Amino acid sequence: MQDLDDHVVAIDIGGSKICVGIINIYGLILEQQRMLITLPYDGDMIIEYIHQLLLQLKYPNWDTLRAGVTIPGLCDSENGMWIYSSFSGIKNFPIVEKLSKILKSTIEIENDVNASALAEAWCGNATQYSHFYWITVSNGIGGAIVINNILYKGAYGYAGESGHNYQASNYGNAIVDDELENLASGSAISRQYTILSTRECVDAKEVALLAKSGDIHAQKVYHNVGIFLGKEIAHIANILNPGCIVLGGAVSLDFDLFKNSLLETYHSYRFTAATNEIPIIKSKFPKDAAFYGAAALAFKDVLTLNTNK
């Protein structure tokens, strides 16, 4: 049997699912269990769901392995607290204390977007970069900053939240300022398609299929997504001057639908002389980055990763 120290428990809590499993230090998933969840739920229910999934693992002595946990929303990693989740209403939940009754080893927690960046640095497409910015475009939009292989969290622990930056939108009949998350996320894609087409609301995956089939309204939505993201990424490049910018999240799976407008806008808004060498690359893990990130958290003592501010 292999050394248990070479394996960790990874726990990813998402908005609509929980995933637990065993990953080795090379990023190989040995075992994985998933569960779909729906609102309403609270912290104690999440703990119970995690316990049910852990009990399904066949890996020996899983409860003695180091564990990493990713959560949606604000997180106090140092004190093991799930500070806030907007969609569930969870506040100040002592998740590490609760999980320590199930898992007997060290438990590390982190915001899912931050952890996704660590995954990309550990075994993804950013392994050659010690400085990079990660942006998740999924149901929401979030970001994470890695500087010298260190996850930069800011003075108060919440750096990188690009989804809450404002941009001008010309959807509908008026130009208004709105958060990037309300303009370019998966939920925004669905909402904006409904505005343009007056059809019943469909999800982003369906809008993508419509765009690929030639629907002009769907194509317009994704064109605009590229513009909004291109502006934001240009601002990030100008301010941080990272080695690269990594695009992840489920919406990135349809990158080809908004690639041209994103790159055109990015090149228009960036300070060319200072950012000429900064590439935009896709994540190796557009769907499971947070799960790999949970493992990266657990492995942080043996990898060249650091989650300090």
Side-chain angles (χ1 to χ4, degrees):
M1 185 172 63
Q2 295 184 3
D3 186 352
L4 293 179
D5 287 338
D6 290 339
H7 301 78
V8 296
V9 173
I11 302 172
D12 173 31
I13 303 169
S16 59
K17 63 96 176 67
I18 297 175
C19 183
V20 307
I22 307 294
I23 302 184
N24 71 13
I25 200 166
Y26 304 105
L28 178 66
I29 299 175
L30 278 70
E31 191 175 357
Q32 192 177 62
Q33 298 289 340
R34 293 175 179 263
M35 173 189 292
L36 296 178
I37 56 176
T38 57
L39 292 170
Y41 58 74
D42 58 26
D44 287 324
M45 292 172 65
I46 292 295
I47 297 298
E48 178 55 32
Y49 295 151
I50 291 172
H51 195 189
Q52 291 176 25
L53 291 173
L54 288 170
L55 290 174
Q56 296 177 39
L57 295 177
K58 298 180 175 60
Y59 193 86
N61 302 317
W62 55 260
D63 58 334
T64 65
L65 299 179
R66 290 169 295 173
V69 184
T70 61
I71 63 169
L74 303 183
C75 171
D76 180 348
S77 303
E78 185 175 344
N79 295 304
M81 297 290 292
W82 187 349
I83 299 298
Y84 177 67
S85 174
S86 59
F87 57 85
S88 69
I90 290 176
K91 292 182 179 180
N92 298 320
F93 182 69
I95 186 168
V96 169
E97 177 186 332
K98 297 283 187 176
L99 283 174
S100 65
K101 298 175 182 177
I102 302 169
L103 297 163
K104 301 172 185 176
S105 189
T106 302
I107 302 171
E108 303 283 348
I109 65 167
E110 186 53 81
N111 163 269
D112 51 3
V113 176
N114 284 343
S116 295
L118 294 178
E120 210 67 47
W122 166 39
C123 59
N125 290 336
T127 55
Q128 63 181 320
Y129 298 97
S130 57
H131 305 261
F132 68 90
Y133 185 86
W134 161 278
I135 182 166
T136 292
V137 187
S138 189
N139 287 330
I141 294 178
I145 304 165
V146 173
I147 301 173
N148 280 332
N149 291 316
I150 295 173
L151 180 64
Y152 176 76
K153 298 172 69 174
Y156 302 101
Y158 309 123
E161 291 291 349
S162 57
H164 297 285
N165 290 337
Y166 276 70
Q167 289 190 24
S169 164
N170 61 355
Y171 280 122
N173 297 320
I175 296 178
V176 297
D177 284 335
D178 208 344
E179 290 186 357
L180 179 64
E181 189 166 273
N182 292 330
L183 299 172
S185 66
S187 56
I189 288 169
S190 173
R191 184 169 58 254
Q192 304 303 346
Y193 179 75
T194 298
I195 292 172
L196 290 179
S197 69
T198 68
R199 290 179 53 181
E200 289 295 324
C201 184
V202 295
D203 64 24
K205 291 181 180 179
E206 292 176 275
V207 179
L209 290 174
L210 288 167
K212 292 171 185 177
S213 68
D215 185 303
I216 59 172
H217 297 304
Q219 290 174 346
K220 175 66 173 177
V221 169
Y222 274 97
H223 176 81
N224 286 338
V225 163
I227 292 174
F228 295 132
L229 291 176
K231 288 181 182 179
E232 185 64 27
I233 290 172
H235 297 329
I236 291 165
N238 290 340
I239 293 169
L240 295 179
N241 204 230
C244 74
I245 294 171
V246 186
L247 180 64
V251 172
S252 71
L253 291 169
D254 294 304
F255 184 48
D256 287 345
L257 292 175
F258 58 92
K259 178 180 178 180
N260 289 341
S261 59
L262 184 152
L263 292 178
E264 180 179 351
T265 307
Y266 169 65
H267 291 306
S268 296
Y269 279 80
R270 68 189 176 96
F271 178 23
T272 304
T275 62
N276 199 42
E277 301 300 324
I278 301 175
I280 300 170
I281 63 176
K282 287 179 64 176
S283 169
K284 184 177 179 179
F285 316 111
K287 287 187 175 181
D288 293 322
F291 181 70
Y292 282 93
L297 289 170
F299 279 130
K300 71 175 188 176
D301 290 337
V302 293
L303 298 172
T304 55
L305 301 172
N306 196 314
T307 58
N308 293 333
K309 294 181 181 179

